[in-house]
Amino acid sequence: MKKFICSLLIAVFLVGSFPLSTSAIGPSNYTYTYNEWGVPIPSPDAYRVSAYILGQHLEFNGEPIGHFNRPQDLQVHGDLLYVVDSLNHRIVILEFFEDTTFEVVDIITHAMHNGVQTTFNNPHGIYVSDWAANRGQIWLADTYNHRILHMDENWNVIKEILHPGIYGRCPNSAELTMVAGTGTSLLEDHIDFLPNKVAVDFSGRLFAQVRHVNRGLMEFDRYGVFAGYMGAPPVTVSPIDLFRRTIATQEQRERMLLNVPVEYNNVTIDHEGFIFVTTTSVDVEPVRRLNAMGDDIMIRNGWTYPIGDIWWGMGGASGVSGASELIDATALPNNVFVVFDRTRGRLFAYDSQGELLYAWGGHGNREGFFTQPTAIDSMGFTLFALDGGMNAALTRFDLTEYGMLINDALYMYQRGLYEESYVLWNEVLRKNGNFGLAYIGLARALLRQGYYREAMHYFRLQNNAVGYGRAFGFYRRVWMENYFWIFAVGVGVLMVVPPVVKRVLKVRREIREA
């Protein structure tokens, strides 16, 4: 608490001398991070733009495919990237190569359902499975057809998932279909079924983020049967509101706003089967990591929580103000996760402990900037970010040497190669001596190797009281184990010597008196 108050006071002091809006960190300071006092610090670029793709520049079978029209989602599967070109009612599939070149390999405008073509209507989300049980199968949130299509890799419909309470059509009559309406529907009949985003885990469970549903994610089992809601964020009621409701009349309580969970805006799943959800609400954590039970298990040990920018600003010349609105997340192989901010068009990368590694991007109509961020996904450590604005574009980001060092250091630490991690963090510091997390990385690597006193030094440099206290606890225990014999001998001497001396003096006195 003392550390938080101290940081808050320093931040208030700096308000007069530092621009409140991080829009001041423009092209000249494209990448930045925050120090332990919450002040933005310029940083070397961790990612560079390796491809900037506009729809009008793409061709398929020798013909231009035309502009992207409000694309809303993308999905990586192997070397393929599926772009949901929403208002063009199609899926554009691109293949990427190691030299960062690419080509359009297919354009999908319909699926085959019982031998009949069924077209898409403003789809908003897609998931292509890489799990062993259903590898290559596709789930599409066909939003304005009010359905989710489960298809094989050839775009043949396996199941059509409709509004719970309405029978869905399934080509295999032996499989279960949707829950029938029997008086009490699991989803209110007056609510349109408008699925926005979908994700599937290794067991085949489907999680859908549905528009106007604020009970969490809608969960369907592998047969397409609606199983209920999961992962709804907690509802908090302030003591003042609680007191008002206590003393209010029945009519006044009916006019009061209800405290209900917020609505998610996206869902994705990582390689371990954990679910990332995002929301634009400022009342709950804007990004959460859920387990199979819907509990938030995200670790938040950083100076600030993963919320995007912490300097919100008042708009200024940029006209941008307010909290970051996170609209998507993706997880990398070393458990780093990257979130996309709709407010300022920035990307924020956090490690597994919730520490900010770097932030980059901004608003604009050029490479590395965005006007209306909609989705992000990763191919290894390569990132793909989708802009759904008027000049809709797909941007590919690849790690720079500096970014590789940071991610390799984190990867080595996770694998238990602490000496290698220590060496890499030192290389990071040679490139950026202002990167506080590198000192934390050194401290953690030293702590794991048993060099507790050295770890305490680096934790102290970053005012990391938690880490310092942990290292000090280990150091104290080792010191006691090594030097306990000195303590034991000292106690023994204090217990034995005084009585012996006293006895000797007494004998000498008796001899002298005799």
Side-chain angles (χ1 to χ4, degrees):
M1 176 58 95
K2 290 182 179 179
K3 181 175 69 176
F4 173 77
I5 294 174
C6 183
S7 302
L8 182 62
L9 291 175
I10 291 177
V12 172
F13 175 77
L14 290 172
V15 165
S17 57
F18 194 90
L20 283 176
S21 175
T22 50
S23 60
I25 304 176
S28 61
N29 295 325
Y30 182 66
T31 304
Y32 64 98
T33 186
Y34 288 101
N35 65 11
E36 64 270 28
W37 307 115
V39 177
I41 302 296
S43 165
D45 289 341
Y47 275 93
R48 60 179 175 83
V49 176
S50 55
Y52 184 68
I53 304 167
L54 297 170
Q56 59 265 37
H57 296 161
L58 298 176
E59 292 186 352
F60 179 58
N61 292 335
E63 297 290 333
I65 72 168
H67 293 266
F68 290 131
N69 195 352
R70 303 291 183 183
Q72 294 298 312
D73 199 13
L74 53 82
Q75 172 73 41
V76 168
H77 177 65
D79 295 329
L80 300 179
L81 182 67
Y82 296 71
V83 179
V84 181
D85 194 5
S86 298
L87 289 185
N88 283 328
H89 316 293
R90 64 184 181 179
I91 312 299
V92 179
I93 306 175
L94 300 95
E95 182 176 6
F96 283 82
F97 307 100
E98 292 184 0
D99 59 357
T100 72
T101 60
F102 56 89
E103 66 176 1
V104 179
V105 297
D106 209 349
I107 297 177
I108 307 299
T109 59
H110 62 272
M112 296 301 297
H113 192 189
N114 293 331
V116 179
Q117 288 188 5
T118 177
T119 57
F120 309 137
N121 187 2
N122 199 357
H124 272 59
I126 191 170
Y127 182 84
V128 185
S129 174
D130 200 34
W131 304 112
N134 45 31
R135 184 170 286 118
Q137 293 183 9
I138 303 163
W139 285 260
L140 181 70
D142 194 7
T143 307
Y144 282 89
N145 277 330
H146 308 281
R147 64 184 180 177
I148 298 172
L149 294 178
H150 176 193
M151 298 166 284
D152 64 19
E153 56 188 5
N154 295 316
W155 302 88
N156 297 309
V157 175
I158 300 173
K159 283 186 289 289
E160 183 183 49
I161 301 174
L162 305 173
H163 190 299
I166 303 174
Y167 278 111
R169 297 185 297 274
C170 179
N172 184 355
S173 59
E175 292 186 1
L176 295 175
T177 57
M178 297 297 297
V179 176
T182 56
T184 57
S185 174
L186 294 173
L187 179 67
E188 287 82 351
D189 293 332
H190 68 275
I191 297 179
D192 285 336
F193 185 56
L194 296 170
N196 265 355
K197 309 293 179 182
V198 289
V200 178
D201 70 5
F202 53 85
S203 67
R205 290 193 306 168
L206 168 66
F207 304 97
Q209 180 266 318
V210 179
R211 198 176 303 177
H212 309 312
V213 172
N214 61 358
R215 301 181 188 179
L217 301 174
M218 294 185 69
E219 178 185 341
F220 300 84
D221 67 17
R222 63 192 180 94
Y223 299 109
V225 177
F226 181 43
Y229 300 94
M230 66 92 70
V235 177
T236 57
V237 182
S238 68
I240 295 178
D241 288 339
L242 190 60
F243 176 73
R244 286 175 178 171
R245 289 182 182 277
T246 302
I247 64 175
T249 64
Q250 180 65 30
E251 292 77 8
Q252 290 173 331
R253 283 196 293 269
E254 290 175 355
R255 290 196 298 267
M256 289 181 179
L257 293 176
L258 295 177
N259 296 98
V260 297
V262 299
E263 182 179 338
Y264 291 132
N265 58 31
N266 214 324
V267 57
T268 189
I269 199 161
D270 66 14
H271 58 280
E272 295 180 335
F274 294 106
I275 302 167
F276 281 89
V277 289
T278 54
T279 178
T280 57
S281 173
V282 298
D283 297 325
V284 297
E285 294 85 359
V287 58
R288 308 174 79 215
R289 191 183 189 215
L290 309 179
N291 61 14
M293 302 299 294
D295 300 321
D296 184 13
I297 60 169
M298 179 171 287
I299 301 173
R300 298 177 175 87
N301 287 337
W303 282 98
T304 63
Y305 286 176
I307 61 172
D309 272 318
I310 61 176
W311 291 83
W312 295 355
M314 301 301 292
S318 67
V320 178
S321 62
S324 294
E325 295 183 357
L326 306 185
I327 49 87
D328 200 3
T330 186
L332 306 184
N334 58 354
N335 287 333
V336 167
F337 64 95
V338 183
V339 295
F340 209 0
D341 173 21
R342 185 169 62 190
T343 302
R344 297 176 181 84
R346 293 194 174 123
L347 299 103
F348 298 84
Y350 297 89
D351 69 5
S352 60
Q353 297 295 309
E355 296 270 12
L356 177 64
L357 298 174
Y358 31 77
W360 75 102
H363 263 296
N365 287 309
R366 54 197 177 97
E367 293 185 5
F369 292 76
F370 307 91
T371 58
Q372 188 176 325
T374 56
I376 185 173
D377 205 355
S378 54
M379 184 183 292
F381 289 96
T382 296
L383 296 174
F384 294 91
L386 189 61
D387 189 347
M390 293 298 294
N391 296 316
L394 174 67
T395 304
R396 170 175 174 163
F397 293 97
D398 282 291
L399 286 170
T400 63
E401 182 183 357
Y402 173 73
M404 286 181 184
L405 285 172
I406 294 175
N407 282 274
D408 286 348
L410 293 168
Y411 185 65
M412 292 298 178
Y413 180 84
Q414 284 192 336
R415 294 182 61 191
L417 302 174
Y418 306 120
E419 292 183 14
E420 290 82 353
S421 179
Y422 178 84
V423 171
L424 289 170
W425 280 124
N426 272 308
E427 289 296 321
V428 172
L429 283 175
R430 289 190 180 96
K431 294 183 176 293
N432 181 13
N434 289 325
F435 188 37
L437 188 57
Y439 294 101
I440 302 297
L442 289 174
R444 289 172 179 165
L446 289 167
L447 184 66
R448 289 289 187 174
Q449 296 177 74
Y451 300 114
Y452 305 126
R453 189 169 184 177
E454 293 82 356
M456 289 164 56
H457 167 71
Y458 286 111
F459 279 128
R460 185 168 58 247
L461 286 178
Q462 288 301 302
N463 296 318
N464 191 313
V466 175
Y468 182 88
R470 186 182 179 194
F472 178 74
F474 285 118
Y475 177 73
R476 178 176 55 194
R477 187 174 67 183
V478 171
W479 189 94
M480 288 297 293
E481 291 174 352
N482 292 336
Y483 299 102
F484 180 76
W485 66 271
I486 298 177
F487 175 76
V489 170
V491 172
V493 169
L494 291 175
M495 294 180 64
V496 174
V497 172
V500 171
V501 171
K502 183 178 180 181
R503 180 63 179 170
V504 170
L505 292 176
K506 181 179 180 181
V507 171
R508 290 183 63 184
R509 186 172 62 252
E510 290 176 351
I511 293 173
R512 199 167 45 245
E513 290 176 354

